[in-house]
Amino acid sequence: MAPQIPEKQWAQVIEKTGGPVEYKEIPVPKPGPDEVLINVKYSGVCHTDLHAVNGDWPLPTKLPLVGGHEGAGVVVSRGELVKDVEIGDHAGIKWINGSCLTCEFCQQMDEPLCPKALLSGYTVDGSFQQYALAKAAHVARIPKDVDLESVSPILCAGITVYKGLKESGARPGQTVAIVGAGGGLGTIACQYAKAMGLRVIAIDGGDEKKDVVTKLGAASYVDYLASKDLVKDVQGATEDGLGPHAVLLVAVSEKPFQQASEYVRPRGTIVAIGLPAGAFLKAPVFQTVIRQITIKGSYVGNRKDTAEAIDFFRQGLIKAPYKTVGLSELQSIYDLMKENKIAGRYIVDTSK
């Protein structure tokens, strides 16, 4: 029997750039031929969602906009061309809502680089609503034995940091420094790194963040607020004093992006993932060349990365620290984000 789908639903809507978000009733959308409609049960809240509210990036958002791109729920309707996703399947809405599937990038599994990519909660409506659309080819396939609440942060944060760690080229037994380790991306990155056999140096500020990352298995913690010489402290946290083999930058301010080249070891790789508004990467050319340092960006993962990231979670290797509140309280989460007062991840329950 087909699920009963209401005409109206509750959602958090941005009417103008800069917000605030408005909790109100809107119509439930109907899926196009290649789309599925997902009854979103839970959605993670990402710093990108706040960037979308504020219009921080040189990429225009649709307005009005329903944000969110970490939505986990149940498929309740599908278009006539969809054959491989069934009603009742558990599925996730991730940042890449859809892509053309025919361009050079899509053909080589780089669909995040597709010029026509649809971005959930940015160029199309996302998961801060009870019913959301996604292209069937791009929904995350979530096994039914996986908890929808706790898996939701994996749909962006998990996939993103897992992809970044793969891009770093770090191998089991090597050391990775995670900058911003106590935040939403960082706490998950610590766990993926450990699950991939890497030794983690966590870099963040304050005792609360230290407690969080230590429980997640970080080998050492460098507090940038207390450190008198961050470069020396990070290098000193490696066994040979040469610095980490890779640096994963998930911070939300610019300064760490300028520092990483000073403490990464020769032939090390710096991977930029965080997107501070208006920030620039900077490194001395001489040292970068002589020490053979690689500096690269890593965006979100492809469909294969998504399946792998979810499988790590399914095995019990990843436990994203999170707090759950009602969807109606989304603005209060944004307020905490602005004050940098969030350790771990927030999830919203769309039924509240």
Side-chain angles (χ1 to χ4, degrees):
M1 192 171 109
Q4 292 293 313
I5 302 170
E7 294 291 321
K8 296 273 192 181
Q9 61 165 332
W10 286 97
Q12 287 280 11
V13 183
I14 307 161
E15 297 287 352
K16 61 181 181 180
T17 300
V21 290
E22 184 180 345
Y23 187 58
K24 66 181 187 178
E25 279 194 305
I26 63 170
V28 172
K30 291 181 169 51
D34 61 346
E35 294 178 322
V36 293
L37 179 67
I38 297 174
N39 177 201
V40 179
K41 302 296 186 182
Y42 300 95
S43 181
V45 184
C46 176
H47 217 94
T48 296
D49 299 315
L50 182 58
H51 287 308
V53 173
N54 293 337
D56 288 330
W57 294 347
L59 176 67
T61 60
K62 79 175 279 287
L63 288 173
L65 173 71
V66 176
H69 57 274
E70 294 182 348
V74 181
V75 176
V76 293
S77 181
R78 65 180 188 175
E80 63 267 23
L81 298 180
V82 179
K83 306 299 181 188
D84 62 335
V85 181
E86 302 292 338
I87 305 300
D89 281 358
H90 290 187
I93 291 170
K94 51 193 180 58
W95 176 245
I96 304 298
N97 191 284
S99 71
C100 76
L101 301 178
T102 60
C103 71
E104 175 189 351
F105 298 110
C106 285
Q107 288 184 44
Q108 64 190 25
M109 292 183 69
D110 270 335
E111 54 264 21
L113 301 179
C114 173
K116 297 179 180 176
L118 304 174
L119 309 178
S120 299
Y122 207 96
T123 62
V124 296
D125 287 337
S127 55
F128 293 150
Q129 56 183 336
Q130 293 172 316
Y131 293 86
L133 295 175
K135 298 293 184 184
H138 279 279
V139 294
R141 312 302 175 92
I142 301 175
K144 288 192 175 178
D145 60 349
V146 171
D147 177 63
L148 290 175
E149 181 178 9
S150 55
V151 79
S152 59
I154 303 303
L155 300 175
C156 173
I159 296 165
T160 299
V161 298
Y162 174 65
K163 176 70 167 180
L165 288 164
K166 288 174 71 174
E167 289 284 337
S168 79
R171 299 189 298 275
Q174 294 184 334
T175 300
V176 59
I178 298 174
V179 188
L185 285 172
T187 49
I188 297 174
C190 288
Q191 294 175 81
Y192 274 101
K194 188 177 179 187
M196 294 164 75
L198 301 172
R199 183 177 178 275
V200 175
I201 300 171
I203 304 173
D204 215 313
D207 289 339
E208 184 184 6
K209 302 282 180 78
K210 179 181 181 179
D211 292 342
V212 169
V213 299
T214 301
K215 288 174 184 173
L216 296 177
S220 53
Y221 179 72
V222 177
D223 187 337
Y224 74 87
L225 294 173
S227 175
K228 291 182 171 59
D229 187 337
L230 185 79
V231 172
K232 186 177 179 181
D233 288 345
V234 174
Q235 291 177 331
T238 60
E239 292 183 351
D240 57 9
L242 294 176
H245 297 83
V247 181
L248 210 66
L249 292 162
V250 293
V252 294
S253 59
E254 184 177 41
K255 189 175 180 182
F257 289 77
Q258 319 286 21
Q259 290 178 314
S261 65
E262 297 178 45
Y263 57 71
V264 71
R265 77 195 289 118
R267 203 179 271 283
T269 300
I270 298 166
V271 183
I273 294 177
L275 294 167
F280 285 86
L281 278 163
K282 185 179 178 183
V285 173
F286 183 84
Q287 290 293 335
T288 302
V289 172
I290 296 301
R291 298 173 66 226
Q292 299 191 119
I293 293 168
T294 300
I295 301 173
K296 64 197 302 188
S298 181
Y299 190 28
V300 293
N302 59 28
R303 287 171 287 171
K304 181 63 174 171
D305 298 321
T306 298
E308 291 172 0
I310 290 174
D311 190 57
F312 269 94
F313 180 84
R314 188 185 189 186
Q315 292 180 55
L317 298 170
I318 314 296
K319 290 181 171 57
Y322 66 87
K323 298 174 185 174
T324 303
V325 300
L327 176 61
S328 60
E329 298 177 55
L330 180 61
Q331 184 61 51
S332 65
I333 300 172
Y334 287 155
D335 293 340
L336 289 171
M337 275 186 180
K338 290 173 187 174
E339 297 168 13
N340 198 26
K341 288 185 177 177
I342 292 179
R345 206 77 171 168
Y346 264 91
I347 293 172
V348 291
D349 180 340
T350 64
S351 69
K352 299 178 183 177

